[in-house]
Amino acid sequence: MKLFIPNLLANDEAGFWFPSQGSTVAESVDSVYFFILYVCTFFFVLIVGLMVLFMIKYRHRPGVEAEKTVTHNLTLELSWSVIPTLLTIVMFWIGFTSYLDMRTPPASSYEISVVAKKWSWAFKYPNGWIESELHIPKGEDVTLTMASDDVIHSLWIPAFRTKMDVVPGRYTQEWFNATKAGTYPLMCAEYCGQKHSEMVTKVVVHETRGDFDKWLQVASDIHKNKTPVEAGEYFYKSRGCIQCHSLDGVPKNGPSFKELFGKERKFTDGTSTIADANYIRQSILEPQSKIVDGFRPIMPTFKGQLTDQDITAIIAFIKSQK
Amino acid sequence: MATIVDSSNPTSDFPIQYRELNYLNCSKGWKSWFFTLDHKRIGIMYLIGVTCAFFLGGIFAVLLRTELLSPSKVLMGPDAYNQMFTLHGAIMTFLVIIPGVPAAIGNIILPVMLGAKDVAFPRMNLGSFYLWMFGAAFFLAAMVLGGLDTGWTFYTPYSITTSTAVITALLGVFILGFSSIFTGLNFIVTIHTMRPPGMTWFKMPLFLWALYATALIQVLATPVLGITGLLLVVERAFHIGIFDPALGGDPVLFQHFFWFYSHPAVYVMILPAMGVISEVIAVHSRKHIFGYRFIAYSSIAIAIFGFLVWGHHMFVSGQSKMVAVIFSGITFSVSIPSAIKVFNWLTTMYKGSIRFTTAMCYGLAFIFIFSIGGLTGLFLATLATDIHLHDTYFVVAHFHYVMMGSSLVGLFAAIHHWWPKISGKMFNEFWGRIACLGVFLGFNLTFFPQFILGTRGMPRRYYTYLPEFQNLHIMSTMGAYLLGLSSALMAATLIYSVYRGKKAPANPWGGASLEWQCSSPPPHNNFDHPPLAGDPYVMESVVYNEEIGGFVPVECQGDNKESVTASGDKEV
Ligand code: HEM
Ligand SMILES: [Cu+2]
């Protein structure tokens, strides 16, 4: 029986219709929604109520013919054209004014740039640190400047009620001001291929700017705070290697990292080489230069996105996959 | 098919030598069907084709819903899922709903309703059917040649980079577009030139107004789809740089082109269904339609406004704020003519004598479902709410309410309303109504939970999802099973009637438009002389006749049976 009772409370503050309100615009979006919902419910009940009433009252009875009534009435028809028109103007207006707020990034805000690619997000913080999760401080205006590496994606944070397409070949922007610390889902809403539905990550809202800065400092100091293998694992996960390279030996879009280091690799052009540090480095920076037999040349380059130190860590990580 | 009318049918009242000749039995053999120029036979072939496509698309739907029973894998992997929802969407849109009411039902009924012998260009009519078949073949070919995983919207640059059979499918769309344009042209010319004496524009049944408005959209909008498809083919094949940002193209331009057709196309889907409902509600309530002119004008208004609102599919695409605001404003204008129609239908029922025939039950289901579909459109037209709802299950629910719930239920209403005319047989009303109830309940159970899924944060085209959404997905899947079973029951009831049904009278429901004046099924040429048309909604002009089990014109009442049947059976 449990299965058929919809889970109403996805988290404690979620309502029947919406997840909890996590940004400054959420409240106005919800109130526009509920205004429309009440108007619609009124008309729906009116329409279906009249329909059911007529169904019962005027159902066919033997010997009783339909009554001849007027076939048009200008006043009636004008009134049911004009009243809905006025209501839709109200809807348009409140939707339009809240929209302007949502789409006008405040002049000074914390800027994070976003690169979307199949099928992961990369959030780049002002100090150059890139992370696959979005971290932001509470109560501060944040603007995302977004670009796509391949196809159209769309960045949606349901709790913030905001969404914007990420279109290759141009920058788009999205801004918000989070009102509650916590963790919320962030997802891709524009169909982008095989793992579209796995292009989901989280937004972590830190209680204060201090907390956030501390997090950023620790995170970006990765080479100091972690062993090379740990750092390598971090890059493996945060830069999207994980999408195509498994650790369990089963090839995905690319070869698995399991027992890769030191093995002989055969390439589509017939040549072969031993997978050593130089080979791995080259595969990361110029992935199209050597394509392993049986795979398609689909890996993007990470040139400029990973430092030498980062790559060394990744090599250490791959080496550790026995 | 040629054996539909069986001379040894025990329920036939007529001895064999008086058996009427009608369009189904006047000639035999497969050639008499495949090369026929008779609009009714062409319409039937369309109907069969559309039904097959519907069941194929339906099987995909059931598989998709089964996959979504759990957030992890149930039946298939993500690639198969992505191809399946694409083909499901593409088949249902291009092969089922767009040709469903206009090409299948319109072809059969339009000339008869006009009191004409055929459409203006019978050869072109047959041609458009073969184009439809040809286009459908390309779709099937795309299915085998690597599938298609772009979504039915073919958004670039994904559609340029995917390795699936995009070009084959686009050629299919291109060919289907011609089929649609030819049907539209044919209808426009037929309505302009072949109305019988007495049928002025404002004496024309509302179904014909709806088909006329639809035909205008088909002729004006479809070429844009064709060209867009061709540009995409060229882009994929020769990498010119029209839509591909890597070559300096603009992917948003593609969306503008695509929706410039596809938004009006949704009115190609819904307008004819609205026309059907105007007929069904009036006839089965035995009432003159209320506000005839408002309904007629609103069809034209929808056709015109429909061209101005495509940008509402692109509120989050990065288009300018100004453009978004303008499109939002205009979008609301489309909702008014739709609202007008709903109120008119209700008022038509007022003080009527409502018979809950299967057709009427579908008509009432239509009003219910269309109200939800139309009203939820307001959330999507409003900018602030659309930002949250765009590309979520709320949208999936909304468009299924409009496309499947309304257009398809409209098609079902049409099939049941005109079935006696088309097949010459009465179907079993009991099973018809059970199927209708099942469709209605199953439909709402499938799609209503999706509104909640959408607002709570479930994006569309997702193969996996967050576990908290599972319960609503399970409800939806159960609904889909019920819906599938009920559609199968509907089909079974209708097919059964072809073999075992009672013979249908000329006018079983008491309609006053011309198609009820010829016999059921109509003779090859529909009418000997163009009948004289009057007001198509004066239901008092016909009365029920016990003996015939159908309605007869008032002036014939009390005469001998000979002259009664003469009104329709002159061909004998
Ligand atoms: C038994 C009835 C149906 C069920 C259960 C059903 C179910 C579905 C499902 C699960 C999807 C995929 C949604 C997603 O992943 O975002 C879908 C998409 C779609 N359906 Fe249906 N559907 C049904 C009938 C119809 C009909 C009759 C039509 C025709 C008008 C239709 C048109 C579409 C379209 C256009 C799409 C979008 C495809 C895309 O995303 O590219 N469906 N449907
Ligand atoms: Cu994506």
Side-chain angles (χ1 to χ4, degrees):
Chain A
M1 199 54 217
K2 179 188 159 282
L3 287 181
F4 292 96
I5 303 167
N7 180 354
L8 299 189
L9 301 173
N11 68 48
D12 293 346
E13 282 152 85
F16 178 78
W17 290 103
F18 288 105
S20 68
Q21 298 177 343
S23 79
T24 47
V25 297
E27 201 183 325
S28 72
V29 171
D30 292 7
S31 62
V32 173
Y33 184 92
F34 287 114
F35 172 77
I36 305 174
L37 185 67
Y38 298 141
V39 173
C40 288
T41 311
F42 171 79
F43 277 98
F44 183 69
V45 170
L46 180 75
I47 290 167
V48 174
L50 282 177
M51 184 174 97
V52 172
L53 181 74
F54 293 170
M55 278 163 67
I56 297 169
K57 212 162 158 201
Y58 305 116
R59 67 183 184 280
H60 170 71
R61 290 188 216 84
V64 184
E65 281 301 313
E67 215 170 295
K68 218 173 151 121
T69 50
V70 289
T71 57
H72 66 97
N73 178 324
L74 196 63
T75 330
L76 195 58
E77 288 174 271
L78 281 180
S79 66
W80 72 43
S81 317
V82 173
I83 294 171
T85 307
L86 296 177
L87 280 168
T88 57
I89 290 175
V90 177
M91 281 177 205
F92 165 74
W93 187 256
I94 59 176
F96 156 63
T97 48
S98 342
Y99 169 83
L100 287 185
D101 295 344
M102 297 166 69
R103 277 290 183 257
T104 315
S108 69
S109 58
Y110 191 80
E111 287 211 31
I112 298 173
S113 67
V114 182
V115 176
K117 64 171 154 231
K118 292 174 182 169
W119 290 275
S120 63
W121 301 97
F123 298 97
K124 187 168 183 181
Y125 297 87
N127 70 352
W129 178 245
I130 300 175
E131 168 84 37
S132 64
E133 285 171 7
L134 176 61
H135 286 253
I136 53 169
K138 189 183 104 176
E140 202 163 322
D141 297 331
V142 175
T143 303
L144 306 181
T145 302
M146 310 187 291
S148 165
D149 256 8
D150 39 42
V151 300
I152 302 178
H153 302 274
S154 185
L155 190 148
W156 183 32
I157 307 170
F160 295 179
R161 313 287 188 270
T162 178
K163 174 188 293 129
M164 186 61 153
D165 282 1
V166 187
V167 185
R170 59 169 84 176
Y171 290 103
T172 53
Q173 286 196 317
E174 177 165 346
W175 82 276
F176 36 77
N177 185 325
T179 52
K180 250 186 334 197
T183 307
Y184 309 94
L186 177 158
M187 39 201 139
C188 176
E190 180 65 60
Y191 175 71
C192 58
Q194 192 194 38
K195 297 221 174 98
H196 170 52
S197 61
E198 288 170 37
M199 206 167 149
V200 178
T201 180
K202 359 182 222 212
V203 189
V204 179
V205 181
H206 294 268
E207 187 62 52
T208 62
R209 179 65 189 259
D211 290 350
F212 170 76
D213 286 339
K214 198 150 87 216
W215 166 83
L216 185 60
Q217 198 206 338
V218 173
S220 42
D221 238 359
I222 185 154
H223 297 295
K224 207 191 266 167
N225 297 324
K226 291 190 157 99
T227 65
V229 174
E230 280 170 356
E233 174 170 19
Y234 174 80
F235 289 117
Y236 167 72
K237 286 184 177 147
S238 67
R239 299 303 154 83
C241 323
I242 191 170
Q243 299 295 339
C244 298
H245 300 282
S246 75
L247 301 179
D248 59 3
V250 182
K252 301 212 276 191
N253 285 327
S256 173
F257 286 167
K258 188 174 177 179
E259 294 169 1
L260 172 73
F261 198 84
K263 281 270 160 61
E264 190 184 30
R265 314 300 290 158
K266 286 206 168 52
F267 303 113
T268 41
D269 62 7
T271 60
S272 69
T273 187
I274 298 288
D276 56 7
N278 275 324
Y279 163 72
I280 293 175
R281 188 187 149 82
Q282 191 187 357
S283 301
I284 294 172
L285 296 178
E286 290 157 34
Q288 314 294 334
S289 62
K290 287 187 171 137
I291 307 299
V292 180
D293 221 8
F295 293 92
R296 284 179 295 136
I298 52 170
M299 175 163 163
T301 172
F302 289 85
K303 199 177 263 169
Q305 300 176 28
L306 293 167
T307 64
D308 279 342
Q309 213 178 359
D310 301 345
I311 294 176
T312 312
I314 292 174
I315 293 170
F317 171 70
I318 293 178
K319 209 167 167 179
S320 73
Q321 298 303 309
K322 296 258 153 52
Chain B
M1 279 313 297
T3 55
I4 276 190
V5 171
D6 178 358
S7 54
S8 63
N9 186 340
T11 54
S12 172
D13 303 336
F14 300 96
I16 286 176
Q17 61 269 40
Y18 295 124
R19 194 167 53 95
E20 52 182 314
L21 269 185
N22 59 49
Y23 81 100
L24 292 168
N25 65 6
C26 64
S27 56
K28 286 206 158 58
W30 64 271
K31 275 195 189 152
S32 73
W33 280 86
F34 287 102
F35 299 114
T36 182
L37 296 180
D38 181 353
H39 66 96
K40 301 182 286 303
R41 286 190 170 196
I42 295 173
I44 289 210
M45 292 195 289
Y46 261 120
L47 194 59
I48 294 171
V50 164
T51 309
C52 294
F54 173 64
F55 276 92
L56 182 63
I59 290 169
F60 285 161
V62 167
L63 293 175
L64 287 168
R65 282 299 344 157
T66 306
E67 179 56 49
L68 293 172
L69 276 173
S70 136
S72 52
K73 180 177 167 172
V74 177
L75 292 176
M76 54 186 132
D79 290 319
Y81 181 86
N82 292 343
Q83 297 197 3
M84 209 166 266
F85 81 67
T86 301
L87 285 165
H88 161 76
I91 288 177
M92 287 297 194
T93 330
F94 294 116
L95 293 181
V96 179
I97 295 292
I98 290 181
V101 180
I105 302 295
N107 248 322
I108 305 179
I109 296 301
L110 176 137
V112 196
M113 234 180 181
L114 276 178
K117 280 193 160 118
D118 208 317
V119 290
F121 308 116
R123 275 196 181 76
M124 183 157 111
N125 201 17
L126 185 65
S128 43
F129 171 70
Y130 280 111
L131 281 174
W132 184 88
M133 289 289 279
F134 199 45
F138 268 79
F139 263 66
L140 298 182
M143 245 167 88
V144 243
L145 302 175
L148 180 71
D149 71 343
T150 58
W152 77 280
T153 46
F154 295 101
Y155 270 17
T156 53
Y158 188 78
S159 56
I160 302 172
T161 51
T162 175
S163 59
T164 50
V166 175
I167 293 186
T168 320
L170 282 170
L171 291 176
V173 171
F174 187 74
I175 297 167
L176 288 170
F178 272 99
S179 164
S180 189
I181 294 172
F182 286 163
T183 305
L185 273 178
N186 219 336
F187 284 4
I188 291 177
V189 177
T190 308
I191 289 175
H192 269 274
T193 59
M194 296 173 72
R195 278 173 291 123
M199 190 185 286
T200 58
W201 280 93
F202 287 109
K203 287 254 163 61
M204 203 163 79
L206 287 165
F207 182 53
L208 299 185
W209 269 102
L211 286 178
Y212 184 74
T214 309
L216 288 179
I217 306 177
Q218 284 176 302
V219 172
L220 294 177
T222 319
V224 179
L225 177 74
I227 291 168
T228 311
L230 278 193
L231 286 177
L232 187 49
V233 169
V234 169
E235 180 80 343
R236 246 187 98 91
F238 306 111
H239 308 288
I240 306 225
I242 314 165
F243 302 130
D244 186 352
L247 302 166
D250 182 2
V252 178
L253 179 68
F254 175 84
Q255 299 182 17
H256 279 290
F257 282 177
F258 180 81
W259 289 113
F260 186 82
Y261 163 77
S262 292
H263 194 80
V266 310
Y267 300 107
V268 172
M269 309 177 203
I270 193 68
L271 271 172
M274 291 170 151
V276 170
I277 300 306
S278 299
E279 303 297 323
V280 167
I281 299 283
V283 170
H284 298 266
S285 306
R286 310 255 329 111
K287 276 286 300 285
H288 193 289
I289 192 91
F290 185 86
Y292 174 93
R293 275 180 192 242
F294 264 70
I295 301 188
Y297 287 138
S298 68
S299 292
I300 301 296
I302 290 176
I304 294 171
F305 290 144
F307 276 100
L308 306 177
V309 303
W310 76 90
H312 68 210
H313 296 271
M314 300 163 62
F315 286 158
V316 303
S317 71
Q319 68 183 356
S320 77
K321 275 183 286 193
M322 181 66 155
V323 171
V325 168
I326 293 171
F327 276 121
S328 165
I330 313 174
T331 298
F332 283 106
S333 66
V334 202
S335 57
I336 306 305
S338 313
I340 292 176
K341 291 197 197 232
V342 172
F343 290 122
N344 275 306
W345 294 324
L346 287 178
T347 324
T348 302
M349 288 166 65
Y350 176 69
K351 295 204 167 169
S353 166
I354 301 170
R355 276 157 234 254
F356 296 103
T357 54
T358 310
M360 184 67 178
C361 292
Y362 279 112
L364 297 168
F366 178 97
I367 296 183
F368 183 97
I369 291 171
F370 180 70
S371 302
I372 296 184
L375 290 168
T376 51
L378 297 173
F379 297 88
L380 301 174
T382 307
L383 285 162
T385 40
D386 181 69
I387 301 299
H388 180 62
L389 299 173
H390 179 77
D391 269 336
T392 68
Y393 262 72
F394 190 96
V395 173
V396 176
H398 161 73
F399 75 66
H400 277 92
Y401 265 86
V402 184
M403 288 161 76
M404 130 132 250
S406 312
S407 308
L408 210 69
V409 164
L411 176 65
F412 293 168
I415 291 177
H416 287 88
H417 183 63
W418 283 302
W419 189 256
K421 186 58 58 189
I422 296 171
S423 71
K425 294 299 174 64
M426 302 301 285
F427 55 87
N428 183 312
E429 285 284 345
F430 174 78
W431 288 112
R433 275 176 277 195
I434 296 284
C436 174
L437 186 68
V439 166
F440 177 74
L441 295 178
F443 176 82
N444 285 292
L445 183 58
T446 310
F447 295 107
F448 200 84
Q450 297 184 0
F451 286 120
I452 308 166
L453 277 171
T455 53
R456 285 194 195 167
M458 169 84 206
R460 71 192 276 208
R461 298 171 172 178
Y462 260 36
Y463 166 73
T464 58
Y465 51 84
L466 300 176
E468 68 221 44
F469 296 132
Q470 187 174 15
N471 293 335
L472 288 164
H473 273 300
I474 291 176
M475 281 169 66
S476 181
T477 302
M478 294 303 145
Y481 292 159
L482 177 57
L483 188 52
L485 286 178
S486 313
S487 326
L489 176 62
M490 176 186 77
T493 307
L494 292 175
I495 293 171
Y496 183 82
S497 78
V498 171
Y499 298 99
R500 290 277 183 284
K502 272 212 323 262
K503 193 186 174 316
N507 189 356
W509 320 124
S513 42
L514 295 181
E515 82 274 25
W516 303 112
Q517 290 188 20
C518 65
S519 57
S520 304
H524 178 61
N525 275 331
N526 304 343
F527 299 93
D528 275 349
H529 325 282
L532 191 65
D535 185 330
Y537 296 104
V538 188
M539 303 302 166
E540 297 80 26
S541 66
V542 290
V543 287
Y544 192 69
N545 181 310
E546 207 77 51
E547 214 174 318
I548 294 175
F551 287 77
V552 293
V554 177
E555 60 267 27
C556 301
Q557 186 61 349
D559 291 4
N560 58 24
K561 195 178 163 197
E562 218 64 45
S563 63
V564 170
T565 40
S567 67
D569 294 350
K570 284 173 189 149
E571 281 296 299
V572 178

